[in-house]
Every structure is written in structure tokens, then in C-alpha cells.
């Protein structure tokens, strides 16, 4: 979500220009605290996401794979599907419970401004909603009620903003959901063909009407989420390669940061250097020599 309030000059070099009386004392968060947004809509969407994955696993296992006479087919597809589903849920959890890059709340104090040692002509930007000194490319989220560094958008499905610290997990979440959706659709097609050639009463442990309904529901779910997550995955990869967030594209903000190659932009999100850890939601990316975000312009 975008804040309707644009960034504005608030403080110049002279400390006398600062009016900290409008801000509460700085809020210092403990590093070990788990990040979680208490938004009803986001929590409901997250629960729905988990339930849909559970439903897909149930239909794949108990309608298609366990009743199958081909043990090798069941083992291979069951292992692959459940592994991808587990990685999707893990990526979703990391995207939801990882601080996306929140700016310290209430740090717009006279002492902090003076510590920046501003030069003549330099200005800083203060968010009027959370009283934070905003670094470059940070935007305020009205749901998280915080300024988020390199904020792309607020996603209710992960109940969190997508920012510099959790964009990797969000991209992995969309990728693994699209993969299990495609895999489920392929298995549904093969199972329908198998049931048409064989007796419907023998191709599933459920009754033929129940089997058809469950397969149709899974097919609809898989097709819907395949399209949705594939588009999201593509837009995220495009944003990473161009080093321009969704908000920056919508607002058509002037580019003030150095232009890097697409490969360097990918490594800035997924970690330095390239490894299989790029595809693991359990691996925290090492950003290497990433450019620090500036508080002054």
C-alpha cells in the first residue's frame, strides 16, 4: 500500500529547525523479537493460504496417489509434491515473520539529526506518520504503520510488506506455489485419463461423484494460483533485475541510485555468491557489499 503523503523536506542542517515535540521517544526494538503484523485481513488471508495448500495435499495424496496401483508413480510424485508444498509453506512463513526492513520508529530527534553531520544544503526526510527519519527509497505502509526500506508493496496473503529483507522469501513463495499448482494440474489430467479408461470405483477410495468434485476443485485452485503466482513471480523478478520497486514504478520516482547489472541486482536480493541457498527459505541471504541506504540527499 502506498502512503498518500509524499516525502517532504523537514529538517535542514541547523538543529534549531527541528521540532521533536511532535514525536514520541524513540522506540527501540529487541533484535530477537519475531516480526508479526496484527492485521485481521492479513491473518485471515494467511490462514486461507495454508488451508488451500492443505486441501491440495489432501486431494493429491488420498484421491490420486495412495489409490494408484503404480507404487513408483506414487512415491516419486508424492515426494516431489510434498517437498515443494513444504518449501512453499516455509517460504510463506519466512516472508510473513521476517522484518521487511522497518525504519527505527521515532528516531526523528534533534540528537539523531546532529549525529548525521549534515553538510550545508543537505536535507533529511521525516515521515509525519511514524516520526522516523526516512532513508532513501523508503516508503510508509499504512497497514504495518512503519516506514519500510525498499518497499515493493504490502501483500495481504503473507500479512506483511515486501521489502529489502524478505523479498527473497516472497519470490520463493510465489515460485513454489506456481510449481505445485502446475504439478497438481498435470496429475489431475493423468488421473482423469486413468479413471476414464478404468473403472471409476477402482481409481479412488472415494465415491465417483466425490472424486470428480474434489478433482474439479483442485483443478480450479491449481489453475487460479498458477496464473496468479506466475504473474507475481514474473513481476518480482522484473523489479529485482531493473532495481525498481513496484511503488517506485507506480509513482515514477526519479532514479537517484547507482545502476547495476541484472546479475548484481539478483545477488543483492538472494545473496552473494550464487548457490543452492538461493532456493532455500531457511537461508538468510548475505547481501555482501550492498550499497548502504542514505538518510541525506
Amino acid at each position: 500500500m502506498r502512503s498518500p503523503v509524499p516525502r517532504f523536506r523537514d529538517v535542514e542542517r541547523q538543529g534549531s529547525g527541528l521540532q521533536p515535540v511532535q514525536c514520541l521517544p524513540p522506540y527501540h526494538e529487541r533484535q530477537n523479537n519475531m516480526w508479526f503484523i496484527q492485521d485481521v485481513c492479513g491473518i485471515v488471508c494467511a490462514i486461507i493460504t495454508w488451508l488451500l495448500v492443505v486441501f491440495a495435499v489432501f486431494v493429491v495424496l488420498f484421491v490420486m496417489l495412495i489409490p494408484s496401483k503404480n507404487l513408483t508413480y506414487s512415491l516419486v510424485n508424492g515426494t516431489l509434491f510434498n517437498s515443494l508444498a513444504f518449501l512453499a509453506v516455509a517460504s510463506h512463513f519466512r516472508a510473513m515473520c521476517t522484518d521487511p526492513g522497518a525504519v527505527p520508529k521515532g528516531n526523528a530527534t534533534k540528537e539523531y539529526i546532529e549525529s548525521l553531520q549534515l553538510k550545508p544544503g543537505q536535507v533529511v526526510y521525516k515521515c509525519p506518520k511514524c516520526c522516523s527519519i526516512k532513508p532513501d527509497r523508503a516508503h510508509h505502509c499504512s497497514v504495518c504503520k512503519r516506514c519500510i526500506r525498499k518497499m515493493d508493496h504490502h501483500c495481504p496473503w503473507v500479512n506483511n510488506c515486501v521489502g529489502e529483507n524478505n523479498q527473497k522469501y516472497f519470490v520463493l513463495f510465489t515460485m513454489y506455489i506456481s510449481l505445485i499448482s502446475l504439478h497438481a494440474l498435470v496429475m489431475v489430467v493423468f488421473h482423469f485419463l486413468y479413471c476414464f479408461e478404468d473403472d471409476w470405483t477402482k481409481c479412488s477410495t472415494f465415491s465417483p461423484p466425490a472424486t470428480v468434485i474434489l478433482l474439479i476443485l483442485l483443478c480450479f485452485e491449481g489453475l487460479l494460483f498458477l496464473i496468479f503466482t506466475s504473474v507475481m513471480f514474473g513481476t518480482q523478478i522484473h523489479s529485482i533485475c531493473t532495481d525498481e520497486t513496484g511503488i517506485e514504478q507506480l509513482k515514477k520516482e526519479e532514479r537517484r541510485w547507482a545502476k547495476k547489472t541484472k546479475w548484481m541486482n539478483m545477488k543483492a536480493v538472494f545473496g552473494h555468491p550464487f548457490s543452492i541457498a538461493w532456493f532455500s527459505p531457511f537461508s538468510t541471504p548475505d547481501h555482501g557489499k550492498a550499497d548502504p541506504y542514505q538518510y541525506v540527499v
Side-chain angles (χ1 to χ4, degrees):
M1 292 186 180
R2 295 180 299 165
S3 170
V5 181
R7 299 198 303 179
F8 63 98
R9 289 185 178 182
D10 184 74
V11 183
E12 296 208 1
R13 185 175 184 271
Q14 291 78 10
S16 58
L18 183 65
Q19 298 178 358
V21 293
Q22 300 178 355
C23 296
L24 296 174
Y27 173 66
H28 300 287
E29 297 171 310
R30 290 181 295 178
Q31 296 296 325
N32 295 330
N33 280 1
M34 178 180 291
W35 176 272
F36 185 77
I37 301 301
Q38 298 180 3
D39 176 58
V40 175
C41 177
I43 294 173
V44 171
C45 289
I47 293 175
I48 291 175
T49 301
W50 294 338
L51 291 177
L52 289 173
V53 174
V54 171
F55 171 77
V57 172
F58 172 80
V59 176
V60 168
L61 290 180
F62 294 97
V63 177
M64 292 189 288
L65 296 183
I66 292 180
S68 176
K69 300 176 182 179
N70 191 332
L71 182 60
T72 303
Y73 173 84
S74 298
L75 289 176
V76 171
N77 284 280
T79 302
L80 178 60
F81 185 85
N82 284 282
S83 298
L84 293 175
F86 173 75
L87 290 172
V89 173
S91 300
H92 181 274
F93 184 82
R94 289 299 302 273
M96 180 174 63
C97 297
T98 298
D99 180 352
V103 178
K105 197 172 184 178
N107 66 349
T109 61
K110 181 178 180 179
E111 294 76 13
Y112 185 76
I113 297 296
E114 292 177 347
S115 69
L116 296 177
Q117 298 180 351
L118 303 181
K119 298 178 181 179
Q122 287 183 321
V123 296
V124 294
Y125 294 93
K126 185 188 80 173
C127 176
K129 293 186 176 181
C130 58
C131 281
S132 299
I133 298 300
K134 298 171 64 175
D136 195 20
R137 305 185 71 182
H139 296 83
H140 185 85
C141 175
S142 58
V143 180
C144 298
K145 296 180 174 59
R146 297 289 292 274
C147 286
I148 307 297
R149 294 191 301 271
K150 208 175 178 183
M151 174 182 170
D152 186 86
H153 69 287
H154 183 92
C155 179
W157 294 105
V158 298
N159 188 34
N160 201 1
C161 276
V162 178
E164 68 168 357
N165 290 344
N166 68 343
Q167 188 173 24
K168 169 192 173 180
Y169 309 124
F170 181 76
V171 173
L172 291 180
F173 167 67
T174 58
M175 182 184 73
Y176 288 127
I177 288 293
S178 62
L179 288 176
I180 65 173
S181 299
L182 178 62
H183 191 195
L185 287 174
V186 172
M187 287 191 291
V188 166
V189 171
F190 278 103
H191 197 73
F192 264 121
L193 295 176
Y194 170 72
C195 291
F196 279 127
E197 294 177 357
D198 202 354
D199 188 358
W200 274 89
T201 59
K202 298 180 180 179
C203 69
S204 176
T205 55
F206 295 87
S207 64
T211 300
V212 173
I213 292 174
L214 290 173
L215 291 177
I216 290 177
L217 289 175
L218 179 61
C219 186
F220 177 75
E221 177 190 344
L223 185 61
L224 179 66
F225 277 90
L226 174 62
I227 296 173
F228 177 72
T229 55
S230 296
V231 171
M232 287 299 301
F233 176 77
T235 56
Q236 286 295 301
I237 294 298
H238 177 265
S239 295
I240 293 172
C241 290
T242 58
D243 194 19
E244 191 174 23
T245 66
I247 288 183
E248 291 166 348
Q249 293 175 11
L250 289 174
K251 297 176 70 173
K252 297 181 179 179
E253 295 185 354
E254 180 184 357
R255 191 184 187 99
R256 298 184 302 274
W257 53 94
K259 188 175 182 179
K260 296 177 289 187
T261 64
K262 295 179 180 179
W263 185 243
M264 286 299 297
N265 291 330
M266 290 289 289
K267 290 195 292 185
V269 173
F270 291 95
H272 293 259
F274 172 77
S275 67
I276 193 149
W278 277 29
F279 305 98
S280 172
F282 305 102
S283 173
T284 302
D286 178 14
H287 298 291
K289 298 180 179 179
D291 294 332
Y293 292 93
Q294 300 298 320
Y295 283 83
V296 297
V297 295

